[in-house]
Amino acid sequence: MSLEPVVLFFVLGLAAGLLRSDLKIPGSIYDALSIYLLLAIGLKGGVKLAEQATPGMLLDGVLIIGAAILIPLVAFPILRYLGKLKRADAASLAAHYGSVSVVTFSIGVAFLAQAAQEYEGYLIVFLVLLEVPALVIGVILARYGAGQVRWGRMLHEVFFGKSIFLLLGGMIIGYVAGPQGIEPLDKVFFDLFKGALAIFLLEMGLVAAGRLADLRAYGVFLIGFGIVMPILSASLGTAVGWMLGLSVGGTMLLAALYASASYIAAPAAMRIAVPEANPGLSIGAALGVTFPFNILIGIPLYYWMAQTIHQIGA
Amino acid sequence: MSLEPVVLFFVLGLAAGLLRSDLKIPGSIYDALSIYLLLAIGLKGGVKLAEQATPGMLLDGVLIIGAAILIPLVAFPILRYLGKLKRADAASLAAHYGSVSVVTFSIGVAFLAQAAQEYEGYLIVFLVLLEVPALVIGVILARYGAGQVRWGRMLHEVFFGKSIFLLLGGMIIGYVAGPQGIEPLDKVFFDLFKGALAIFLLEMGLVAAGRLADLRAYGVFLIGFGIVMPILSASLGTAVGWMLGLSVGGTMLLAALYASASYIAAPAAMRIAVPEANPGLSIGAALGVTFPFNILIGIPLYYWMAQTIHQIGA
Amino acid sequence: MSLEPVVLFFVLGLAAGLLRSDLKIPGSIYDALSIYLLLAIGLKGGVKLAEQATPGMLLDGVLIIGAAILIPLVAFPILRYLGKLKRADAASLAAHYGSVSVVTFSIGVAFLAQAAQEYEGYLIVFLVLLEVPALVIGVILARYGAGQVRWGRMLHEVFFGKSIFLLLGGMIIGYVAGPQGIEPLDKVFFDLFKGALAIFLLEMGLVAAGRLADLRAYGVFLIGFGIVMPILSASLGTAVGWMLGLSVGGTMLLAALYASASYIAAPAAMRIAVPEANPGLSIGAALGVTFPFNILIGIPLYYWMAQTIHQIGA
Amino acid sequence: MPDQNQRLLTIVCESMLEPFLQEELPHLGASGYTVTDARGAGRHGRRGGAWTKESNVKVDIVCDAEVAQRVVEHINREYKQHYALVMYSTDAKMHCV
Amino acid sequence: MPDQNQRLLTIVCESMLEPFLQEELPHLGASGYTVTDARGAGRHGRRGGAWTKESNVKVDIVCDAEVAQRVVEHINREYKQHYALVMYSTDAKMHCV
Amino acid sequence: MPDQNQRLLTIVCESMLEPFLQEELPHLGASGYTVTDARGAGRHGRRGGAWTKESNVKVDIVCDAEVAQRVVEHINREYKQHYALVMYSTDAKMHCV
Ligand SMILES: Nc1ncnc2c1ncn2[C@@H]1O[C@H](COP(=O)(O)O)[C@@H](O)[C@H]1O
Ligand SMILES: Nc1ncnc2c1ncn2[C@@H]1O[C@H](COP(=O)(O)O)[C@@H](O)[C@H]1O
Ligand SMILES: Nc1ncnc2c1ncn2[C@@H]1O[C@H](COP(=O)(O)O)[C@@H](O)[C@H]1O
Ligand code: NA
Ligand code: NA
Ligand code: NA
């Protein structure tokens, strides 16, 4: 199974960081690219929703979110009792792994396009819907029994923070304007998507390289968690996708969603709601271990899992 | 009459600003987008000019500019005596409403494309030509009888300020290179135009949201002026367009040009030539009231006006 | 022979700078554009290499590099003894003229596309390969007999500095992914290339305008050198290209490569390895004289040279 | 108003605190402030500025000693413990018309 | 040249004044200056830095007290009245070879 | 830890020196530093910030007088002669918890 070429840009960025190249992507370009990617995904999701939405999806949605809630609830005791992390750190990491990564999802989509596999486009909606419960659970886990929470600030950050806001906003615009309305924007928001993703991944590689140093300090447990946890979550996702009758592509995407860990929305929200949690730990694991694992090994693996369960089930 | 989807991006930006989302478009991206839009419009105008220029246009041009000069001359007494604004403020606002908005014009063009209406492409030239007299009149109104003017600095700012410079420069390149010469650049300067406009409008929405607070301080008169003045100017534009025998599309575009108020070139020039004028007032009215009015309500209205006058006239 | 339209953007930028327009392209956009151009050229080179590589090229490569080494070795005595420059300055300038300019090469490619001329795509590889020996020779010339060199820092800068790193990285990705793998990225990395180059040239014009002031201080010799040296180098390139049996397009590109002077990789490397050399001198000559000369006059001239030698030789 | 002797208080902290400071500084008595984007290193390691999660802002506040003291105490109480953050101040003279 | 006692004068103002200051500072006797992009708030309200029309620059000038005085007076005369602008200064030591 | 009297040392130099300073400052005893992008003018002419080759960085270091002295000497020795660069310092108070 061949590597998606965009992933090579991540590797190039990683190499630049580790070899101390002076390559640096300006912060404003990083921001612009992430605004673009979030909007583009939101638009695509909105258009798909306008085309595909049916009442039956509502029940599917409840199941998908219900099952996803298990992820932080399983991750927390592993981190707290097996990993012996502090309560705040364990809760924050659980929230990161409970929520999702837009870029991992996009690479999953690119992978399916290369494999010429169809998928249920409305799954994009879960990029938004899966974020919120995981973060709320994370905060409750951190605060259970003690401490007060800045719920106001935190929920404002979740809903009006740029990632959810742009995804949701793009989705609404895509839904309202529909395929024809969006068509004149396709040249920017769809045709350029993959190239923009490639450049964003170059930058992610640079950032991830800086995070690897942190990881060394946190040791083997966290690296192991960063690999095993997504496999567990992906297995859950594969099972749920299959039970809901999703296509092979859709099953694989749901697995990738479950397996991915957030490094945009979650860090911002956790920094506000659980400031005593060490952000180096969670970003280190999510971006330094799980993200590379998912895009290099995970996605082909989840694809294989989705194919296998469909063969066995058939 | 359906909304142009790009306008939804303005609304999204406005919402982000009002809901205090942390969405922020980096200043350098704003600058880059505005450089791109100005260049692209200039190029398009130059190409159209190379294709369509005829000696008869010269007379049309004189009429279009002559009529446009009425706008600041009418706006000034309204602002000064009805609105009781200080002389400098009234003059600066008159200059803003006398000059034109590149983005409003672009949305007018997008609207016509969606309505599958032709228009006289050379009208782009007036994005440049209408700017200068309005600003000069504004300065004269402010200084009449008193005070000295930094004419040198101010005219340098007008002609070599980036907006006129890029429009003119793009126009010359487009004219010199012609349609074939520009063709390899089409992928960037024409195909991406609408998407870039959408992202720019997102940013404009964010900026406009910040301006609304100012407006509250200045009250009802200014809001009324920001809505009535463009309707007056558009009526003038519709009449002139029809008298010159422009198409329905061209008539509407001329109305939109007259109705639009500058918030790029004019603020910079006025800040230098009439520094005692409060920039919050003029940017607040131009960007907080007139710009949203024009793109949400004005353009469909002016289109209807252009259709009506053509039907009556026929 | 008509001017490539992208060159007009350079002229526009130059005019903006000289007329003191307030047009300014943000530094982060300059950085982003140069990252994009380097990656895109690298990718294109890698793809061509995957399609065209043959063992015979290896020998060609040795000859091309061997001949190129003559350039700094000829430039140095001219600068030192005819121009009476200090040893460090002469060595640094020799290194700049020995290495190559990515943008000059790109404009050569655009010129060939407009003239509908084929060329050997693998020549892109020499954008990387010609850089290193020239810089090393420059340092040796500067240090011969005296002074210690920070070889470590300097070679790190050469190999891991962003220009070589991105060219090489892009080349490897293009080679590994091949034409099919890169195809989904074509919309960004190939289709947008020329437009991005146009905007980059606008910025180069602005920067070059700032450099012209320096040049006045350094006088007539340096201006003469900045024009005569590229013609000499291009003649060598034309001869080598013809001897190796390159096409007319390929011969012209090799001449343009030899003729071009670096203003991205070389300045950074020389600033580290030979800090006592005045960077104003070398950037002034490379960017203020040779770059405009090459893109305005040189490339058509080298094209004529390549055609002529092929006619005579045939 | 003649020249006044004041303090120039500088806060360097994670960028994500900017909106909070922006809201709180006026209530603490600062008549104004100036913000620039920054990167750096300190007890919390390198903050390279490559992305928002690891970029800093530098906030300069010219104010009288009392306000400076209030700002320092507020920030020590609210943010110092859990956020990458340093504060330092110098004597400064404000030049007014 | 040994270390010298000087003033560090900082001007925070609307970005659009940058080209004018750039032209005028050398004539006022400043041997150099450093500019950074800034945003902020003050008597003229919030200047958020989102676009040129509401972004600031911060200009640092190390110079002797006399030059600082001249710059302050010039700016007070030419710009202070109509532009968003503050100036403050501290004692500073210039370190030279 | 109470408030401490220290120096605020500022280095303005060519951006390309940033990675070197970043590596060397900790060895010279600086516990932290803050970097911002800058442009300016000085003995080496205008450095307009338009591209890396002519942009500056401003590095602020709060440290005790001894470390400041060491940094100044190191930079004077290693870089001052050939690079566009100025250094100045003021008295500063570091506010700690
Ligand atoms: N001694 C120092 N001098 C100047 N800036 C500092 C110093 N220490 C820390 N900083 C800045 O403050 C930020 C947060 O500091 P810290 O919480 O110590 O990591 C760093 O990223 C630096 O930008
Ligand atoms: N007290 C202050 N401390 C630091 N910066 C200030 C202060 N007051 C104003 N500024 C800056 O100076 C700019 C113009 O100030 P003003 O003219 O008061 O609006 C503001 O946007 C701030 O960036
Ligand atoms: N007197 C000064 N005050 C503030 N900054 C200065 C001064 N002189 C030089 N600089 C800054 O230091 C950089 C290098 O200075 P120089 O080596 O003198 O060209 C300049 O580009 C300015 O940013
Ligand atoms: Na997840
Ligand atoms: Na108008
Ligand atoms: Na060369």
Side-chain angles (χ1 to χ4, degrees):
Chain A
M1 206 166 299
S2 81
L3 212 59
E4 235 305 296
V6 288
V7 173
L8 296 172
F9 287 82
F10 180 78
V11 177
L12 184 63
L14 209 60
L18 296 177
L19 296 170
R20 297 163 157 275
S21 162
D22 71 349
L23 175 62
K24 224 161 63 172
I25 296 193
S28 56
I29 301 300
Y30 177 88
D31 286 352
L33 281 172
S34 69
I35 289 171
Y36 166 82
L37 294 175
L38 291 164
L39 261 184
I41 290 179
L43 283 171
K44 196 183 272 177
V47 169
K48 296 265 173 171
L49 214 56
E51 293 172 338
Q52 309 180 341
T54 66
M57 276 178 210
L58 220 66
L59 187 66
D60 287 17
V62 173
L63 280 172
I64 288 175
I65 294 170
I69 288 178
L70 291 176
I71 297 172
L73 293 178
V74 167
F76 180 75
I78 297 180
L79 290 158
R80 183 95 173 92
Y81 302 110
L82 218 69
K84 302 201 173 13
L85 294 184
K86 281 188 280 181
R87 168 177 278 273
D89 287 329
S92 167
L93 264 161
H96 280 73
Y97 280 82
S99 75
V100 293
S101 152
V102 170
V103 176
T104 307
F105 181 82
S106 304
I107 294 172
V109 169
F111 183 94
L112 290 178
Q114 218 192 14
Q117 274 282 353
E118 286 297 303
Y119 64 94
E120 285 77 10
Y122 69 84
L123 286 173
I124 295 182
V125 179
F126 293 98
L127 276 174
V128 177
L129 298 181
L130 291 178
E131 203 76 49
V132 183
L135 298 181
V136 172
I137 290 172
V139 177
I140 293 173
L141 288 171
R143 289 288 172 265
Y144 186 73
Q148 72 350 349
V149 187
R150 292 180 165 155
W151 282 109
R153 273 192 183 176
M154 186 268 192
L155 288 177
H156 187 273
E157 176 63 35
V158 171
F159 287 107
F160 300 118
K162 83 174 175 192
S163 47
I164 300 285
F165 192 87
L166 286 171
L167 279 172
L168 249 181
M171 220 173 265
I172 293 171
I173 293 181
Y175 188 83
V176 169
Q180 288 87 13
I182 294 300
E183 203 251 287
L185 303 174
D186 284 2
K187 289 250 163 55
V188 164
F189 286 109
F190 297 161
D191 292 359
L192 304 187
F193 189 82
K194 208 150 175 201
L197 187 62
I199 299 175
F200 194 75
L201 281 169
L202 182 67
E203 163 75 356
M204 298 297 308
L206 283 166
V207 175
R211 293 285 128 201
L212 290 183
D214 292 3
L215 266 184
R216 239 166 285 157
Y218 304 132
V220 175
F221 170 76
L222 215 60
I223 297 175
F225 177 83
I227 292 174
V228 173
M229 192 66 217
I231 298 180
L232 286 183
S233 307
S235 309
L236 179 65
T238 307
V240 171
W242 180 74
M243 285 188 334
L244 295 178
L246 296 185
S247 64
V248 169
T251 306
M252 180 273 233
L253 274 189
L254 193 63
L257 268 178
Y258 277 23
S260 71
S262 167
Y263 48 83
I264 300 189
M270 286 299 118
R271 205 77 197 93
I272 289 172
V274 192
E276 69 273 32
N278 179 351
L281 261 174
S282 43
I283 300 185
L287 196 57
V289 181
T290 302
F291 179 71
F293 171 76
N294 271 333
I295 67 174
L296 292 170
I297 302 171
I299 284 179
L301 175 67
Y302 311 151
Y303 185 54
W304 173 85
M305 281 161 58
Q307 284 180 314
T308 308
I309 204 170
H310 274 80
Q311 277 160 9
I312 295 175
Chain B
M1 205 165 302
S2 80
L3 212 58
E4 236 304 299
V6 287
V7 172
L8 296 171
F9 287 82
F10 180 77
V11 176
L12 185 64
L14 209 60
L18 296 177
L19 296 169
R20 295 162 158 276
S21 162
D22 70 349
L23 175 61
K24 226 163 61 172
I25 297 193
S28 56
I29 301 299
Y30 177 87
D31 286 352
L33 281 171
S34 69
I35 289 171
Y36 167 82
L37 294 175
L38 291 164
L39 261 183
I41 290 179
L43 283 172
K44 196 183 270 175
V47 169
K48 296 265 172 172
L49 216 57
E51 293 172 338
Q52 310 179 341
T54 65
M57 276 178 210
L58 221 66
L59 187 66
D60 287 16
V62 172
L63 280 170
I64 288 175
I65 294 170
I69 288 177
L70 292 175
I71 298 172
L73 294 177
V74 166
F76 181 74
I78 297 179
L79 291 157
R80 183 94 173 95
Y81 302 110
L82 217 69
K84 302 202 174 15
L85 294 184
K86 281 188 282 182
R87 168 177 279 273
D89 287 329
S92 166
L93 264 162
H96 280 72
Y97 279 81
S99 76
V100 293
S101 151
V102 170
V103 177
T104 307
F105 181 83
S106 305
I107 293 173
V109 170
F111 183 94
L112 290 178
Q114 218 192 14
Q117 274 281 353
E118 285 297 303
Y119 63 93
E120 286 76 9
Y122 68 84
L123 286 172
I124 295 181
V125 179
F126 293 98
L127 277 174
V128 176
L129 298 182
L130 290 178
E131 203 76 51
V132 183
L135 299 181
V136 172
I137 290 171
V139 177
I140 293 173
L141 288 170
R143 290 287 173 263
Y144 185 73
Q148 63 4 338
V149 188
R150 290 179 167 157
W151 280 110
R153 273 193 184 177
M154 185 270 192
L155 288 177
H156 187 272
E157 176 62 36
V158 170
F159 286 107
F160 300 117
K162 82 172 174 193
S163 47
I164 300 285
F165 192 88
L166 286 172
L167 280 171
L168 249 181
M171 220 172 265
I172 294 171
I173 293 180
Y175 188 83
V176 169
Q180 287 87 10
I182 293 301
E183 204 251 287
L185 302 175
D186 284 1
K187 288 250 163 57
V188 164
F189 286 109
F190 298 160
D191 293 359
L192 305 188
F193 188 83
K194 210 154 174 197
L197 187 62
I199 298 175
F200 194 75
L201 282 169
L202 183 69
E203 164 75 356
M204 297 298 307
L206 283 165
V207 175
R211 293 286 129 202
L212 290 183
D214 291 4
L215 266 185
R216 239 167 283 157
Y218 304 132
V220 175
F221 170 74
L222 215 60
I223 298 175
F225 177 81
I227 292 175
V228 174
M229 191 66 217
I231 299 181
L232 286 183
S233 308
S235 309
L236 179 65
T238 309
V240 171
W242 180 73
M243 287 190 330
L244 294 179
L246 296 187
S247 64
V248 169
T251 306
M252 180 274 234
L253 274 189
L254 192 63
L257 267 178
Y258 276 26
S260 71
S262 167
Y263 48 83
I264 298 187
M270 286 299 118
R271 205 79 197 93
I272 289 172
V274 191
E276 68 272 34
N278 178 351
L281 262 173
S282 44
I283 300 185
L287 196 56
V289 181
T290 301
F291 179 71
F293 171 77
N294 271 333
I295 67 173
L296 292 169
I297 301 172
I299 284 179
L301 175 68
Y302 310 151
Y303 185 54
W304 173 84
M305 282 161 57
Q307 285 180 313
T308 309
I309 204 170
H310 274 79
Q311 276 158 10
I312 295 175
Chain C
M1 205 167 302
S2 81
L3 212 58
E4 235 305 297
V6 287
V7 172
L8 296 171
F9 287 82
F10 180 78
V11 176
L12 186 63
L14 208 60
L18 295 177
L19 297 169
R20 297 163 156 274
S21 161
D22 71 350
L23 175 61
K24 224 162 61 173
I25 295 193
S28 56
I29 301 300
Y30 177 88
D31 285 352
L33 281 171
S34 68
I35 289 171
Y36 166 82
L37 294 175
L38 291 164
L39 261 184
I41 290 178
L43 283 172
K44 196 182 269 175
V47 168
K48 296 264 174 174
L49 214 56
E51 294 173 338
Q52 308 180 341
T54 65
M57 276 177 208
L58 220 68
L59 186 66
D60 288 17
V62 172
L63 279 170
I64 288 175
I65 294 170
I69 288 177
L70 291 176
I71 297 172
L73 294 178
V74 167
F76 180 73
I78 297 180
L79 291 158
R80 183 93 173 96
Y81 302 111
L82 217 68
K84 301 201 173 17
L85 295 184
K86 280 188 282 181
R87 168 177 278 272
D89 288 328
S92 166
L93 263 162
H96 280 73
Y97 280 82
S99 75
V100 293
S101 152
V102 170
V103 177
T104 308
F105 180 82
S106 304
I107 294 173
V109 169
F111 183 94
L112 290 178
Q114 219 193 13
Q117 274 282 355
E118 286 297 304
Y119 63 93
E120 286 77 8
Y122 69 83
L123 286 172
I124 295 182
V125 179
F126 293 99
L127 277 174
V128 177
L129 297 182
L130 291 178
E131 204 76 49
V132 183
L135 299 181
V136 172
I137 290 171
V139 177
I140 293 173
L141 288 171
R143 289 288 173 265
Y144 186 73
Q148 83 327 7
V149 187
R150 291 179 167 157
W151 281 108
R153 275 192 181 176
M154 186 270 192
L155 289 177
H156 187 271
E157 176 62 36
V158 170
F159 286 107
F160 300 117
K162 81 173 176 194
S163 47
I164 299 286
F165 192 87
L166 286 172
L167 279 172
L168 249 181
M171 218 173 266
I172 293 171
I173 293 181
Y175 188 83
V176 169
Q180 288 87 11
I182 293 301
E183 203 251 287
L185 303 174
D186 283 3
K187 288 249 162 56
V188 163
F189 286 109
F190 298 161
D191 293 358
L192 304 187
F193 189 82
K194 209 153 175 197
L197 187 62
I199 299 174
F200 194 75
L201 282 169
L202 183 68
E203 163 75 357
M204 297 298 308
L206 282 165
V207 175
R211 292 287 128 201
L212 289 183
D214 292 3
L215 265 185
R216 238 166 285 157
Y218 304 132
V220 175
F221 170 76
L222 215 60
I223 298 176
F225 177 82
I227 293 174
V228 173
M229 191 67 218
I231 298 180
L232 287 183
S233 307
S235 309
L236 179 65
T238 309
V240 171
W242 180 74
M243 285 188 334
L244 293 179
L246 296 185
S247 65
V248 169
T251 306
M252 180 273 233
L253 275 189
L254 192 63
L257 267 178
Y258 277 25
S260 71
S262 167
Y263 47 83
I264 299 187
M270 285 299 118
R271 205 78 197 91
I272 289 172
V274 191
E276 69 272 33
N278 178 352
L281 260 174
S282 43
I283 300 186
L287 195 57
V289 181
T290 301
F291 179 72
F293 171 77
N294 271 332
I295 67 175
L296 292 170
I297 301 172
I299 284 179
L301 174 68
Y302 310 150
Y303 186 53
W304 173 85
M305 281 162 56
Q307 285 180 313
T308 309
I309 204 170
H310 274 79
Q311 276 159 9
I312 294 175
Chain D
M1 191 165 42
D3 293 357
Q4 292 187 320
N5 285 318
Q6 308 225 272
R7 296 292 292 175
L8 163 60
L9 171 65
T10 300
I11 307 166
V12 182
C13 65
E14 309 186 12
S15 327
M16 60 149 300
L17 294 183
E18 184 180 355
F20 303 146
L21 294 183
Q22 186 181 302
E23 208 184 294
E24 293 157 2
L25 286 176
H27 299 301
L28 296 163
S31 67
Y33 56 88
T34 296
V35 185
T36 45
D37 291 316
R39 49 193 179 276
R43 287 165 309 128
H44 293 83
R46 247 176 70 61
R47 301 185 54 79
W51 64 331
T52 336
K53 255 112 232 119
E54 51 173 36
S55 70
N56 293 338
V57 289
K58 183 165 139 188
V59 183
D60 292 314
I61 308 157
V62 182
C63 55
D64 55 40
E66 199 189 329
V67 170
Q69 191 53 33
R70 216 179 303 144
V71 171
V72 167
E73 276 164 18
H74 171 80
I75 286 176
N76 271 338
R77 193 176 48 242
E78 292 287 312
Y79 303 112
K80 180 71 199 182
Q81 200 185 345
H82 298 310
Y83 295 95
L85 167 63
V86 301
M87 290 182 284
Y88 50 85
S89 65
T90 66
D91 280 321
K93 198 190 261 187
M94 187 72 137
H95 301 279
C96 314
V97 191
Chain E
M1 190 165 42
D3 294 357
Q4 294 186 318
N5 285 318
Q6 309 225 271
R7 298 290 294 172
L8 164 59
L9 170 66
T10 300
I11 306 166
V12 182
C13 65
E14 310 186 11
S15 327
M16 59 149 299
L17 294 183
E18 183 181 353
F20 303 145
L21 294 183
Q22 185 181 304
E23 207 184 295
E24 293 157 2
L25 286 176
H27 299 302
L28 296 163
S31 67
Y33 57 86
T34 295
V35 184
T36 45
D37 291 317
R39 49 194 179 276
R43 287 165 310 128
H44 292 83
R46 245 177 71 60
R47 302 184 53 80
W51 64 331
T52 336
K53 256 110 232 120
E54 50 174 36
S55 71
N56 294 338
V57 289
K58 183 165 137 189
V59 183
D60 291 314
I61 308 157
V62 182
C63 54
D64 55 41
E66 199 190 330
V67 170
Q69 191 53 32
R70 215 179 304 145
V71 171
V72 167
E73 277 165 17
H74 170 81
I75 286 177
N76 271 338
R77 193 175 49 240
E78 292 288 312
Y79 303 112
K80 180 73 199 179
Q81 199 185 344
H82 299 310
Y83 294 95
L85 167 63
V86 300
M87 289 181 284
Y88 50 85
S89 65
T90 65
D91 281 321
K93 198 191 260 187
M94 187 71 137
H95 301 279
C96 313
V97 191
Chain F
M1 191 165 42
D3 293 358
Q4 292 186 319
N5 285 318
Q6 308 223 271
R7 297 291 294 173
L8 164 59
L9 171 65
T10 300
I11 307 165
V12 182
C13 64
E14 309 186 11
S15 326
M16 60 149 299
L17 294 183
E18 183 181 355
F20 303 145
L21 294 183
Q22 184 181 304
E23 208 184 294
E24 293 156 2
L25 286 176
H27 299 302
L28 297 163
S31 67
Y33 57 86
T34 296
V35 184
T36 46
D37 291 316
R39 48 193 179 276
R43 286 166 308 129
H44 292 84
R46 247 177 69 61
R47 302 185 53 79
W51 65 330
T52 336
K53 255 113 231 117
E54 51 174 36
S55 70
N56 293 338
V57 288
K58 184 165 137 188
V59 183
D60 292 313
I61 308 158
V62 181
C63 54
D64 56 39
E66 199 191 329
V67 171
Q69 191 54 33
R70 215 178 305 144
V71 171
V72 167
E73 277 164 16
H74 170 81
I75 287 176
N76 270 338
R77 192 177 47 242
E78 291 289 311
Y79 303 112
K80 180 72 199 181
Q81 200 186 344
H82 298 310
Y83 295 95
L85 167 64
V86 301
M87 289 182 282
Y88 50 85
S89 66
T90 65
D91 280 321
K93 198 190 261 186
M94 187 72 136
H95 300 279
C96 313
V97 191

